[in-house]
Amino acid sequence: VVLLRQGRYEEALAVLDQAVRRFPGYQPLYTNGIQAAKGAHKPHRAKQYEEEGLKWTRKDPFFIFNQGVEHYRSERYAEAADCFERAVKLRPDNPSLEAWLARSYLASKRDEKGLQAFLKAQALSPNLPMLDLLRKEFPALSSVPRVLILPQREEEAPPAPPAGPAPAGPS
């Protein structure tokens, strides 16, 4: 990860290749391998990492999420939506996944589905910052009413006992 952040993709790829051989079930290695291969301008190697990783990560919503983000950034919105749909099935109460699903649907002109995912994200987490970003990115969402969350009142304290002489303690 440090090598990736420093832009030393070839070195990162060499380390990740060794790590995958030793720990093939450790899922984050595949996501990092994809990023290292792309940074090293080796799309065929990135594809290999993706295929190898799928064997281990079919049920990992974070790996699927990463694939969705990659598709979205490449403007392959329908493919991104497919990934986010799979991730949402694995983590149905995750507002961020629902928001990304909404974004992908809306970008691919599937407005009704986008609105449904947006409403679910808003219901799960009304104050999710990404909701405001989506409203700016997709003006059609500006007409969707915001959910107002009022702070809950503290329970009223029981009334104080009447003032009077202190009760006698044990002698």
Side-chain angles (χ1 to χ4, degrees):
V1 171
V2 171
L3 293 170
L4 282 173
R5 290 190 181 183
Q6 292 176 345
R8 296 165 54 190
Y9 301 112
E10 290 284 348
E11 292 171 80
L13 194 54
V15 171
L16 288 162
D17 285 342
Q18 290 176 4
V20 165
R21 280 194 294 278
R22 291 186 66 200
F23 309 102
Y26 187 60
Q27 297 169 355
L29 295 174
Y30 297 98
T31 302
N32 291 330
I34 292 168
Q35 298 305 316
K38 286 182 178 181
H41 304 290
K42 296 184 177 182
H44 65 284
R45 187 66 185 111
K47 185 72 173 164
Q48 286 175 326
Y49 260 106
E50 187 173 346
E51 289 169 2
E52 291 170 27
L54 284 175
K55 294 175 191 172
W56 296 96
T57 59
R58 288 191 198 286
K59 301 252 183 214
D60 181 359
F62 301 107
F63 185 82
I64 296 168
F65 169 80
N66 253 353
Q67 287 180 307
V69 171
E70 285 294 319
H71 290 313
Y72 189 88
R73 288 184 178 151
S74 299
E75 297 182 3
R76 296 190 319 264
Y77 304 123
E79 292 174 49
D82 290 342
C83 287
F84 295 127
E85 284 173 358
R86 290 189 352 247
V88 164
K89 285 180 185 172
L90 294 169
R91 294 281 171 109
D93 292 330
N94 185 306
S96 294
L97 291 176
E98 288 287 350
W100 272 97
L101 180 58
R103 177 183 243 176
S104 298
Y105 281 146
L106 292 166
S108 62
K109 307 294 185 218
R110 292 162 44 187
D111 293 347
E112 185 59 37
K113 284 189 166 203
L115 177 61
Q116 294 296 323
F118 180 85
L119 291 171
K120 180 150 187 206
Q122 182 173 259
L124 290 169
S125 181
N127 298 322
L128 185 69
M130 188 170 174
L131 298 177
D132 289 331
L133 294 173
L134 290 175
R135 286 178 195 278
K136 289 176 187 169
E137 189 175 347
F138 300 99
L141 293 176
S142 63
S143 63
V144 176
R146 294 176 189 271
V147 174
L148 180 61
I149 299 295
L150 298 174
Q152 292 187 354
R153 296 183 333 179
E154 291 184 30
E155 294 292 320
E156 292 186 10
S171 317

